[in-house]
Amino acid sequence: GQNIDQPTEMTATEGAIVQINCTYQTSGFNGLFWYQQHAGEAPTFLSYNVLDGLEEKGRFSSFLSRSKGYSYLLLKELQMKDSASYLCAVMLPNRLAFGKGNQVVVIP
Amino acid sequence: DAGVIQSPRHEVTEMGQEVTLRCKPISGHNSLFWYRQTMMRGLELLIYFNNNVPIDDSGMPEDRFSAKMPNASFSTLKIQPSEPRDSAVYFCASSAGGDTQYFGPGTRLTVL
């Protein structure tokens, strides 16, 4: 089976930095995706890592360590609109396996 | 560019009724995925198609669920008969060659 773990919820202050962790144990690995999902909306693509290291895209960065089965999403300069659920998903052969998501609440 | 289109956006039905959810993938995408999302279980893959052919339906919960993709621009997910535990948000997603998946807005299904 596939096991993808994320903390369920965290609260952070506007302007701060927050790190969202994801650990995985899966049969197969072709890369790791991060998606953002606002309440009542569809998941939207944020980032994709296939090699170890840090990928930076504006205020968002994603890190991957394949040997440790670990990834994190770093959100900098938090804005109120960043309040959402953040889902990590492991690319298996031909399909994605999602974690349950980490709900981030941004407070003023 | 139109994204993935799903209909209806909301569906309320009574237990035992047939429910049909519809999806139009992004033009040119050759993979289509049906997901179900609940608070308890998160986002679960039900079935996916590659070039209109079902590849993996191991996530389909039981025989009451069926999915078809008669052509590259249309897919349906049918539940017959529906039960209250089927209440969830059903997402359709598409991708080009197994790359990044793009999700439709979802159908919120409530079975009374």
Side-chain angles (χ1 to χ4, degrees):
Chain A
Q2 322 301 341
N3 194 29
I4 301 169
D5 285 324
Q6 299 183 246
T8 54
E9 184 171 321
M10 57 176 57
T11 301
T13 307
E14 197 174 10
I17 298 173
V18 69
Q19 178 173 312
I20 304 166
N21 297 321
C22 174
T23 57
Y24 62 90
Q25 290 177 303
T26 56
S27 52
F29 179 86
N30 291 337
L32 189 141
F33 288 83
W34 283 95
Y35 280 80
Q36 180 190 58
Q37 186 176 24
H38 286 103
E41 297 183 11
T44 55
F45 169 76
L46 283 179
S47 69
Y48 173 58
N49 293 66
V50 64
L51 300 176
D52 289 352
L54 189 69
E55 294 277 345
E56 298 190 74
K57 192 187 290 187
R59 293 189 300 114
F60 293 1
S61 303
S62 55
F63 171 83
L64 175 67
S65 168
R66 289 171 296 171
S67 62
K68 295 181 180 177
Y70 169 69
S71 174
Y72 68 73
L73 181 69
L74 197 68
L75 284 61
K76 304 173 193 172
E77 301 169 18
L78 273 179
Q79 301 176 9
M80 298 300 291
K81 67 179 181 178
D82 297 330
S83 291
S85 181
Y86 291 86
L87 303 150
C88 76
V90 172
M91 178 65 115
L92 306 175
N94 295 320
R95 60 191 289 263
L96 278 179
F98 280 86
K100 289 191 177 178
N102 182 325
Q103 184 68 41
V104 172
V105 178
V106 182
I107 57 176
Chain B
D1 259 356
V4 175
I5 299 172
Q6 289 187 247
S7 65
R9 294 293 308 275
H10 301 273
E11 176 84 22
V12 181
T13 190
E14 292 188 343
M15 183 173 64
Q17 296 298 306
E18 177 180 294
V19 174
T20 300
L21 311 181
R22 297 172 177 80
C23 176
K24 177 178 168 55
I26 293 171
S27 177
H29 283 190
N30 62 345
S31 295
L32 184 141
F33 306 80
W34 281 102
Y35 290 90
R36 176 173 67 177
Q37 187 174 40
T38 61
M39 289 292 291
M40 288 294 295
R41 300 172 68 92
L43 199 59
E44 303 173 279
L45 178 67
L46 299 177
I47 185 171
Y48 82 91
F49 295 83
N50 194 41
N51 294 320
N52 312 339
V53 176
I55 302 299
D56 183 354
D57 65 355
S58 59
M60 296 285 261
E62 48 199 272
D63 291 345
R64 297 184 298 106
F65 286 67
S66 62
K68 293 182 180 178
M69 192 164 187
N71 57 63
S73 58
F74 183 66
S75 176
T76 59
L77 177 68
K78 187 174 293 187
I79 308 172
Q80 165 63 20
S82 58
E83 296 182 3
R85 61 190 167 128
D86 302 331
S87 297
V89 181
Y90 290 80
F91 287 105
C92 175
S94 70
S95 72
D99 206 335
T100 304
Q101 293 183 22
Y102 295 89
F103 284 75
T107 296
R108 183 173 295 276
L109 174 65
T110 303
V111 183
L112 303 173

